[in-house]
Amino acid sequence: MKLTEHQVQHVARLARLALTPDELSKYGAQLSAILDAVDALSQVDTSGVPPTSGVDTSELEARLRLGGSTPHLREDVVAGEVGAKAALANAPQVEGSSFAIPKVIE
Amino acid sequence: MPRSDFQVVIGLEVHAQLLTTSKLFSGASTSFGGAPNAHTSIVCLGLPGVLPVLNQQAVELAIRAGLALECTVAERSEWSRKHYFYPDLPKGYQITQYEFPVCLGGRVTFDGADGEKSVRLTRIHMEEDAGKLVHEGSVSLVDLNRAGTPLLEIVSEPDLRSADDAVEYLKSLRDILVWIGVNDGNLEEGSFRCDANVSVMRHGSNTFGTRCELKNLNSFRFIKQAIEIEATRQVEIIESGGKVDQETRLFDPQRAETRSMRSKEDAHDYRYFPDPDLPPLLLSKDRIEGERAKQPELPRARRRRYVEALGLPAYDAGVLTADRAMSEFFERCLAEVGDAKQVSNWFMGELSRLLNESKSTISQVKFTPAQFGAVLKAVKDSVVSGPGAKELFADLFATGKEPSVIIQEKGLAQVNDDGPLLEAIAAAMAESPKNVESYRGGNTKIVGYFVGQVMKKVGGKGNPKRINELLVEKLKG
């Protein structure tokens, strides 16, 4: 699948990447090759297979059905605050206890 | 064609902050205020290598909201990353639920201008809030205290047909969320926010027009104003042969206009994908049903019950259910007394007045339902007079002392014994033979004068009914 220069430009812009015309064609070709490689997967018949969005949860779901509780949850307590001083330790510019950045206006 | 030939079509997106102590994916506090960036953790700062862990209370509140709004709570929902660059979003993406939200469907019922209406919900999902920007001089200041705060986004179908209905829908939704303890309902502090999707179409048409999304609607008044201004703008465009562009528009209350937010132009390419750091949220049927069994009676149902089963006026029922704490306290007092009208009268009258005067809320009252019951019993048993009961109640409200103690300390007990009353009557008649003659001559109205005299002699503590009875007997001679 050959990406158009316009599509490559758009993706670059969304990622805030400034590409030279040379880079545009270089990365455009690489991106197209990656899509082609992934495209090979579409030859496999996956009808009836639910899309996988992350880890396999079939075991967890089975446990839930047997009365287990939802795993991977955190108790609602305040913990692990680092405070403003540490939060700002690497900030290039600080004002008060805020990060100061070049002005952004709607 | 004038504006009246067009129908406005509105769908609303509400962002309601979940009442948790800590953030959605980290242990940083959600408390409002505080120095900028004081409530931050490595997770909400978006530092490299950190992992989000879901707050179980946020899940609990989302389920509760879903059930109260008649949604289907999903046994499996998923987390996605929504990407955009803005300085209030340190990670460069927001964790939200996209394809598989925690709740689907549902409805919100409210009283519109012409009767009860119901608006369908599309979905409810959880997501994290962004930080806050303050613009000062040549810089913008970033405060990430709010970044990562759990939100519930409640999306309605485009079922609303007027700005007034939109406001009533929002009030009803807010009432429910506050009632079930999911949200504090505070528009000013931004814990209940609303965006409106607005389009117009000719009356009788089945095809919606192109919609615009309105932002910055932070009061009910602004919401109504913004929708009306935007609908008029769109009608004017169509009337002059133009075409409405689908875009995000900012409401400016000072200028009473909506204007395009150009910066959002290519923001719609969010490149969503499942967040690999978070497993799907799995909820067992038992968990969901368990939560359903714990559901409280909701404000509209309770209001109806107060009118239909307890025989209270609709206005009273509305006041008594405006606040859950008030309503629960009313129920407990009712259990002590049994007479809903009587309890309601005290709540609507004396209690409301005292709460207003002391600028306090029902959760701060010092007396118990049993003590309230004791006051009403004292009235019923003629231990205190009507005015005496008000004094007793005011003292109870102020001090929380036992009513029996207050009656003694303040000398509020009525004189019910005939002995002292008869003595006072005899004295009053002796002082005023002329009036006795007048009564006997047929001027029976003069009994009121004697009641007053007798009451004065017993220090205002006589039982007026008994005084009246005894007086009539004696005056007749």
Side-chain angles (χ1 to χ4, degrees), chain B residues 110 208 421:
Chain B
F110 63 90
F208 291 163
L421 293 180

Coordinates of all heavy atoms in Angstrom, one line a residue, chain B residues 110 208 421:
Chain B
F110 N -37.0 14.3 32.7 CA -37.1 15.6 33.4 C -38.5 16.2 33.0 O -39.2 15.7 32.2 CB -36.0 16.5 32.9 CG -36.0 16.8 31.4 CD1 -36.7 17.9 30.9 CD2 -35.4 16.0 30.5 CE1 -36.7 18.2 29.6 CE2 -35.4 16.2 29.2 CZ -36.1 17.3 28.7
F208 N -31.3 15.9 10.1 CA -30.6 16.9 10.9 C -29.7 17.7 10.0 O -29.1 17.3 9.1 CB -29.7 16.2 12.0 CG -30.6 15.5 13.0 CD1 -30.0 14.5 13.8 CD2 -31.9 15.8 13.2 CE1 -30.7 13.8 14.8 CE2 -32.6 15.1 14.2 CZ -32.0 14.1 15.0
L421 N -56.3 28.0 86.6 CA -57.1 28.6 85.5 C -58.3 29.2 86.1 O -58.7 30.3 85.8 CB -57.4 27.6 84.4 CG -56.2 27.1 83.6 CD1 -56.7 26.1 82.5 CD2 -55.4 28.2 83.0

